[in-house]
Amino acid sequence: MVGKKSGRAQLREEGLARTDNNLDLTTWPQVNMINQKNYYTEFLKRDEQYLAVRYPLEEERNRMVREARDKDRALAQGVATEDAEEAEEGGGSYSRDDPSRLIVLHVGSQNLRIGLGSDALPKTVPMVIARKWKESESEEDDGEPRPKRMKIEGVVPADALPEKWFGEDFADQYMAMSSELRTRMRSNKRRVLPNSKDLVTNFNRRTSAEIISEHNDINRIEWTEIPSDPRKAPDYFTGNEALRIPEKSNPRYKLFWPIQNGTFNERDYTGRNQLYHDISKILEEAFRTQLGITRLKDLVNYKCVFIIPDLYERIYVTMMLDILIRDLGVGKVSLQQESLSATFGAGYGVACVVDIGAQKTSICCVDEGLCIEESRVNLKMGGADATETFIKMMLYGHFPYSDMNLKRRYDFLLAEELKQKFCSMEEETVTVKTWDFHLRASGQDTRKYTFKTYDETMLSIMGLFKPSIFDHSRKLEGRRKVILRSVDLYDGSPNDPISPAQVAVIETAAGKSTSVNGTQEGIPAVASTPQRPGQLNLLSRLNDNENTPRSSVAGSPAPEGTSTPNPDRDTPMGDADQPLIFRDPVLEKTKIADERDKTLPAIPLDAAILESVTQGARGDERKLRDFLGGIMLVGGGSKTPGLGAFLETRLRELRPYYGKEILVGPPPREFDPQVVVWKGASVFGRLSPAGNDSWVSKAEYDILGSRLLNNKCMFAW
């Protein structure tokens, strides 16, 4: 009888036993379940986990390792450390702190200021490019001049009286401003002759030009030479060469100004690519001619501080950054705001910076190295408007050179020269004076004109305080046609920065509200980010004097059986009499932004300064007095003699209680107001890179693009 076998032996004999070959059933990694009562993660909780922070640290570490290896190699080869350092300094290598490898760019509507960190002053280049075109800018629109002459009852402007060239509105405003000036001068005990206007008009009417032959003109102009063969002519010219191209050149060239009123020129451009390439070519030629950088591949060894407006447009910043890094190949770029750069250059800690440029005036309060967001104001007017108004007033008074046309290049340069020489805001200069100037045009003999002026030299600059005298007709033409507005990545709403001071300026310019002590009547305080319109109805309901209390403005829960959420609406769910009004927050924000774009922000300069200062102080009396006592005028438009004293007087008239505190002055240490912003950016760029984490490198930008600015900008992006 066979003994009983165990179950294991039976499985082994019958081949049913399980054998393990140590192979996993799957190649997928098996992750054990976490203890949900006690778990922890460090994801995005350390600065080193951000590329914007980690990359500069790694770059600094690699630099230290590389320097240590070079030093060890030099010692191993028997070269002393001092000799190695001297050889490194005298050779072709460069230091990361070398100011000669720092480029500072300040792009304006009319001029580009560019220079190296080792330069004492920047070079100034006109921000213009001339391209081959079918006709020049002076031949467009059937040769219509600028300023535009109006046709009165079918009479050609050349046959009509100069007093009727610019319409009755301009004539009435001009006469009103002249009358106010005479009244002001009489109150200040200044002598005013009653027939001054007639003296000027009669003299200018009978004055003729004096012809000077070209060989007798010692200050003749060197014009840009165009090859006789049109096929060999360059495709474009930039800077001063573009402004010196003869009007009747063969082939024709047309001037393009890619920056207008502080942002992109969408009126004269039809495509974004053309605008992009024109800016790139202007910067490339400036690098080559002004800085001596002939090869673009050398720019990878340079750093660049790019100055942006205080109240910028995001698409402007990202597009300029893309041009510098990707198109031109600059190694590192840092962004700096204009007003903050001005305080760096002047050495101020607290100031209200008023930057009067050619086509834009920006105002911002700066407190301890930070631009106060609520105080930023951007006015679309400047020195170019004063130049055009000055020429209109001169033509109104029978200017002997009645054919002046600012679309012609030599007339444009002449108008700028006349404004800089003769315009002033000092009342003692408002007398009948005799001046002369020389008109130089290509292919013509020099003409010398003698003329007289009276109050035109002051009233044209007075337009900054009465902007209705300026011509704003074409400033909004083509807005948002070429380059669309920047929108949020997630919900598509406009995300360009806005400030309460700028909103107040726009509302005042539109005539919708008046600004009193920095706050608008009937409009609640505005945050830096626009609020939803649905939130503005709360104040109107609280202000209604109703005997019957209304139901809550808070959203009611959705009715049962529906899965549709309850959006914002004017009427509560309980009001059965009125229909529901559904709101789209993104659409409402877009409508508000569109309405703002239709209004040109141009109000008197003194009112805009008080609005900015009041919003920047935010109710703090000490800060208000500090800002009023530190108003600094910078920019080319601020160089008009007597402008600071006149502005100070106007501010004291509007705020008599702060008469002793209000102080308006130029930058200290006899700085040129035109270059103080550039100088401040140069000082900022020469700070130690180890303590400055605002540099955007090419490698980082290639990975993250403009998203990198959230971690790199020293201001709220």
Side-chain angles (χ1 to χ4, degrees):
M1 181 177 179
V2 181
K4 187 178 180 179
K5 296 182 179 180
S6 63
R8 182 178 300 176
Q10 291 179 353
L11 291 175
R12 185 171 57 252
E13 291 178 359
E14 296 175 5
L16 299 178
R18 177 181 178 181
T19 57
D20 193 0
N21 54 7
N22 294 326
L23 295 178
D24 295 333
L25 298 178
T26 177
T27 58
W28 287 88
Q30 297 181 7
V31 180
N32 297 327
M33 295 186 64
I34 63 174
N35 182 5
Q36 297 187 2
K37 295 182 179 180
N38 185 17
Y39 70 94
Y40 177 75
T41 178
E42 292 186 350
F43 179 66
L44 296 183
K45 288 189 176 181
R46 293 198 308 268
D47 290 342
E48 293 79 6
Q49 294 172 336
Y50 290 91
L51 178 66
V53 179
R54 184 177 68 251
Y55 187 85
L57 296 178
E58 294 177 353
E59 189 180 37
E60 180 70 15
R61 190 181 305 112
N62 294 336
R63 185 193 63 82
M64 295 175 64
V65 171
R66 184 170 58 253
E67 289 181 354
R69 288 177 179 174
D70 293 342
K71 187 178 295 185
D72 293 342
R73 186 181 299 110
L75 292 175
Q77 294 176 355
V79 181
T81 306
E82 293 79 4
D83 297 340
E85 292 178 355
E86 292 178 0
E88 181 179 356
E89 292 177 358
S93 60
Y94 63 94
S95 171
R96 60 182 182 134
D97 298 333
D98 187 3
S100 63
R101 296 282 175 171
L102 172 66
I103 302 174
V104 183
L105 282 177
H106 187 194
V107 176
S109 303
Q110 189 166 305
N111 291 314
L112 164 68
R113 309 202 188 277
I114 182 173
L116 297 174
S118 56
D119 296 337
L121 294 174
K123 283 88 173 178
T124 301
V125 181
M127 191 67 188
V128 63
I129 184 171
R131 289 192 175 275
K132 285 184 179 179
W133 213 254
K134 58 183 179 180
E135 56 185 3
S136 64
E137 62 276 4
S138 61
E139 298 171 340
E140 289 184 326
D141 301 329
D142 296 329
E144 181 180 339
R146 185 169 68 92
K148 181 180 179 181
R149 279 73 156 171
M150 299 182 63
K151 293 183 179 181
I152 308 297
E153 298 178 356
V155 180
V156 188
D159 300 333
L161 292 175
E163 291 87 349
K164 298 182 179 181
W165 281 358
F166 310 111
E168 296 181 359
D169 187 22
F170 175 80
D172 294 342
Q173 291 191 64
Y174 181 26
M175 291 297 103
M177 294 176 65
S178 181
S179 178
E180 291 176 6
L181 178 60
R182 287 196 300 268
T183 304
R184 187 185 187 94
M185 292 177 64
R186 288 193 184 100
S187 64
N188 293 336
K189 308 300 182 183
R190 297 193 181 277
R191 185 182 179 184
V192 179
L193 297 178
N195 60 340
S196 299
K197 284 282 188 182
D198 296 335
L199 292 175
V200 171
T201 302
N202 294 331
F203 180 86
N204 292 339
R205 185 185 289 117
R206 63 174 183 267
T207 301
S208 59
E210 178 186 349
I211 305 300
I212 301 176
S213 57
E214 185 177 359
H215 62 273
N216 290 331
D217 186 8
I218 60 175
N219 295 321
R220 58 181 178 269
I221 297 175
E222 297 294 334
W223 301 95
T224 302
E225 295 184 2
I226 306 295
S228 57
D229 188 358
R231 293 174 296 180
K232 297 181 180 180
D235 293 333
Y236 64 90
F237 290 93
T238 63
N240 290 310
E241 289 185 348
L243 293 178
R244 294 302 184 187
I245 298 177
E247 298 290 333
K248 304 296 183 180
S249 62
N250 184 23
R252 290 286 195 275
Y253 284 86
K254 180 183 176 182
L255 298 185
F256 288 92
W257 303 82
I259 306 297
Q260 184 183 57
N261 299 116
T263 185
F264 293 126
N265 182 3
E266 300 178 76
R267 184 182 67 195
D268 300 329
Y269 284 86
T270 58
R272 175 170 176 164
N273 290 337
Q274 183 185 3
L275 184 64
Y276 183 97
H277 290 301
D278 279 3
I279 297 176
S280 177
K281 289 299 181 183
I282 292 174
L283 295 180
E284 180 181 346
E285 289 297 317
F287 289 156
R288 182 179 61 85
T289 59
Q290 305 299 325
L291 304 183
I293 304 174
T294 57
R295 299 184 303 175
L296 288 182
K297 62 181 181 180
D298 294 338
L299 286 173
V300 71
N301 299 324
Y302 285 80
K303 299 186 299 182
C304 176
V305 178
F306 184 73
I307 303 170
I308 65 173
D310 305 317
L311 197 60
Y312 55 86
E313 293 182 0
R314 293 167 67 100
I315 192 69
Y316 170 81
V317 177
T318 55
M319 189 169 169
M320 296 298 291
L321 191 62
D322 195 75
I323 291 174
L324 290 172
I325 293 183
R326 289 185 176 165
D327 195 29
L328 299 177
V330 179
K332 289 184 177 181
V333 177
S334 179
L335 303 177
Q336 183 78 345
Q337 291 175 293
E338 285 179 341
S339 295
L340 188 58
S341 298
T343 56
F344 265 84
Y348 285 174
V350 179
C352 176
V353 181
V354 182
D355 188 352
I356 306 176
Q359 301 177 11
K360 172 183 68 70
T361 299
S362 62
I363 308 169
C364 182
C365 295
V366 181
D367 186 13
E368 297 299 336
L370 184 66
C371 291
I372 301 178
E373 297 181 9
E374 292 81 4
S375 68
R376 296 175 293 179
V377 172
N378 193 314
L379 304 178
K380 302 303 182 182
M381 61 180 186
D385 297 289
T387 302
E388 183 176 354
T389 305
F390 175 62
I391 298 303
K392 291 173 71 173
M393 291 180 176
M394 296 292 295
L395 293 173
Y396 186 92
H398 294 260
F399 190 52
Y401 179 38
S402 60
D403 194 31
M404 174 166 274
N405 181 8
L406 296 183
K407 287 185 178 180
R408 287 197 290 255
R409 295 147 199 171
Y410 57 86
D411 280 351
F412 169 77
L413 296 175
L414 175 63
E416 289 289 334
E417 181 183 353
L418 294 180
K419 185 196 72 171
Q420 295 175 6
K421 283 185 177 180
F422 307 141
C423 286
S424 174
M425 290 295 289
E426 298 171 348
E427 291 184 358
E428 57 267 21
T429 62
V430 183
T431 57
V432 178
K433 289 187 176 182
T434 304
W435 311 92
D436 61 69
F437 68 92
H438 294 77
L439 175 64
R440 298 177 176 91
S442 177
Q444 303 177 19
D445 289 333
T446 302
R447 286 168 283 174
K448 180 181 179 181
Y449 287 92
T450 303
F451 66 102
K452 284 188 176 183
T453 61
Y454 177 52
D455 56 3
E456 302 93 340
T457 56
M458 183 173 181
L459 293 182
S460 57
I461 309 297
M462 189 83 74
L464 295 173
F465 304 91
K466 191 175 182 180
S468 58
I469 196 70
F470 291 156
D471 183 13
H472 305 297
S473 57
R474 300 193 64 191
K475 291 184 178 180
L476 293 179
E477 189 176 329
R479 185 73 169 143
R480 307 294 185 192
K481 300 298 184 189
V482 178
I483 299 177
L484 300 179
R485 182 190 295 110
S486 176
V487 296
D488 189 81
L489 182 63
Y490 297 100
D491 60 5
S493 61
N495 61 352
D496 281 330
I498 192 70
S499 67
Q502 184 72 4
V503 172
V505 167
I506 293 175
E507 294 289 343
T508 305
K512 297 180 181 179
S513 65
T514 57
S515 179
V516 181
N517 293 329
T519 59
Q520 300 178 59
E521 294 179 350
I523 297 181
V526 184
S528 296
T529 304
Q531 299 176 351
R532 290 190 303 178
Q535 298 174 350
L536 303 180
N537 295 325
L538 179 59
L539 290 180
S540 61
R541 292 183 175 180
L542 294 178
N543 293 331
D544 291 339
N545 296 325
E546 298 179 352
N547 296 327
T548 304
R550 298 179 64 94
S551 55
S552 172
V553 290
S556 304
E560 295 182 2
T562 62
S563 59
T564 304
N566 188 21
D568 296 334
R569 53 188 171 271
D570 286 343
T571 58
M573 190 69 71
D575 295 341
D577 298 337
Q578 302 180 6
L580 298 179
I581 301 176
F582 295 93
R583 290 183 178 273
D584 184 358
V586 177
L587 181 61
E588 294 294 335
K589 290 181 181 179
T590 305
K591 287 182 178 179
I592 293 176
D594 290 339
E595 288 298 323
R596 288 176 182 152
D597 285 342
K598 295 178 182 177
T599 303
L600 185 73
I603 67 171
L605 180 62
D606 48 356
I609 292 175
L610 290 178
E611 187 69 45
S612 173
V613 168
T614 307
Q615 294 287 355
R618 290 171 288 189
D620 190 340
E621 186 73 15
R622 183 186 61 81
K623 280 189 177 181
L624 181 63
R625 296 179 183 275
D626 289 343
F627 291 146
L628 289 176
I631 299 176
M632 180 172 61
L633 290 178
V634 298
S638 66
K639 298 182 68 175
T640 304
L643 178 59
F646 183 85
L647 176 60
E648 188 174 307
T649 304
R650 290 288 295 255
L651 292 175
R652 287 175 177 172
E653 291 175 356
L654 294 176
R655 291 293 182 271
Y657 299 108
Y658 298 98
K660 296 182 180 179
E661 286 83 2
I662 294 176
L663 181 62
V664 179
R669 299 192 296 274
E670 298 182 357
F671 258 154
D672 185 357
Q674 295 184 96
V675 303
V676 64
V677 175
W678 182 93
K679 193 65 178 178
S682 176
V683 172
F684 171 80
R686 297 175 66 174
L687 297 176
S688 174
N692 189 350
D693 56 355
S694 64
W695 295 102
V696 178
S697 65
K698 190 176 187 302
E700 296 172 283
Y701 192 77
D702 289 339
I703 297 174
L704 293 180
S706 60
R707 292 175 295 169
L708 194 67
L709 297 179
N710 291 322
N711 303 102
K712 289 293 186 177
C713 291
M714 301 179 66
F715 45 88
W717 172 254

